[in-house]
Amino acid sequence: MKNILVINGPNLNMLGLREPAIYGSRDFKALLAFIQESAQQLGLEVECFQHNHEGAIVDKIQQAYGVFDGIVINPAAYTHTSVAILDALKAVSIPTVEVHISDVDSREDFRQRSFVSLYAEKVIKGHGFDGYKEALEYLAAKK
Ligand code: CA2
């Protein structure tokens, strides 16, 4: 059974509390339940990790080396700023899918750049919670 690490970045634990027009009205607990249910359907083992600190996310990616077969990451605001997260992903060389709940392409200019996209095999934007399931499907199908 493939073992997948799902990483959520800063403020995603606040889902459902504000900006429902952009991120929907379901909360973070519902997202975690959706991810676990999707993983079960696909026959995947999944661990979910959320942190607001860049260094903690870098540490978790480093610890994934030799443990996980794939990473699904929504780096949230660090998407647009973090060379450290990009470098950590490159260092462990684990197949990675980048997910964004909202359609970042149609939002502010500062959201148009993603460092993580320079490494990710696939990027899913604007599909809401379903984007996480699509990412898991991609990793499940991968040889
Ligand atoms: O669309 C996405 O998934 C994002 O990664 C979400 C980030 C944002 O910085 C990225 O540009 C796109 C924001 C995460 C959570 O933000 C909240 C804002 C208000 C209420 C709850 C969460």
Side-chain angles (χ1 to χ4, degrees):
M1 190 183 267
K2 282 189 183 173
N3 197 13
I4 308 297
L5 174 63
V6 178
I7 299 175
N8 280 296
N11 297 308
L12 283 162
N13 56 318
M14 303 295 277
L15 277 179
L17 298 184
R18 281 196 315 112
E19 305 200 77
I22 299 175
Y23 301 114
S25 52
R26 287 181 288 175
D27 65 11
F28 187 62
K29 203 172 144 215
L31 175 61
L32 296 180
F34 176 79
I35 290 168
Q36 285 299 345
E37 191 187 315
S38 303
Q40 204 172 9
Q41 287 168 6
L42 293 163
L44 297 169
E45 185 81 36
V46 156
E47 178 183 325
C48 291
F49 174 81
Q50 188 277 332
H51 215 286
N52 293 324
H53 301 178
E54 184 177 21
I57 294 170
V58 169
D59 288 345
K60 189 67 185 178
I61 293 168
Q62 289 184 7
Q63 289 157 12
Y65 183 75
V67 177
F68 291 97
D69 306 300
I71 294 176
V72 175
I73 184 165
N74 182 345
Y78 293 138
T79 307
H80 318 298
T81 61
S82 183
V83 177
I85 291 174
L86 168 65
D87 285 346
L89 290 168
K90 283 182 174 174
V92 297
S93 193
I94 297 170
T96 296
V97 181
E98 176 182 349
V99 172
H100 297 285
I101 293 170
S102 67
D103 179 16
V104 280
D105 292 345
S106 61
R107 298 182 63 192
E108 301 95 324
D109 284 353
F110 66 84
R111 296 187 205 275
Q112 304 307 312
R113 177 176 70 177
S114 167
F115 287 102
V116 170
S117 291
L118 297 172
Y119 175 76
E121 285 183 21
K122 188 173 170 67
V123 184
I124 299 164
K125 306 167 188 177
H127 295 183
F129 283 14
D130 287 345
Y132 290 83
K133 186 171 187 182
E134 291 165 32
L136 292 174
E137 282 167 352
Y138 173 85
L139 291 170
K142 206 177 148 63
K143 298 277 178 242

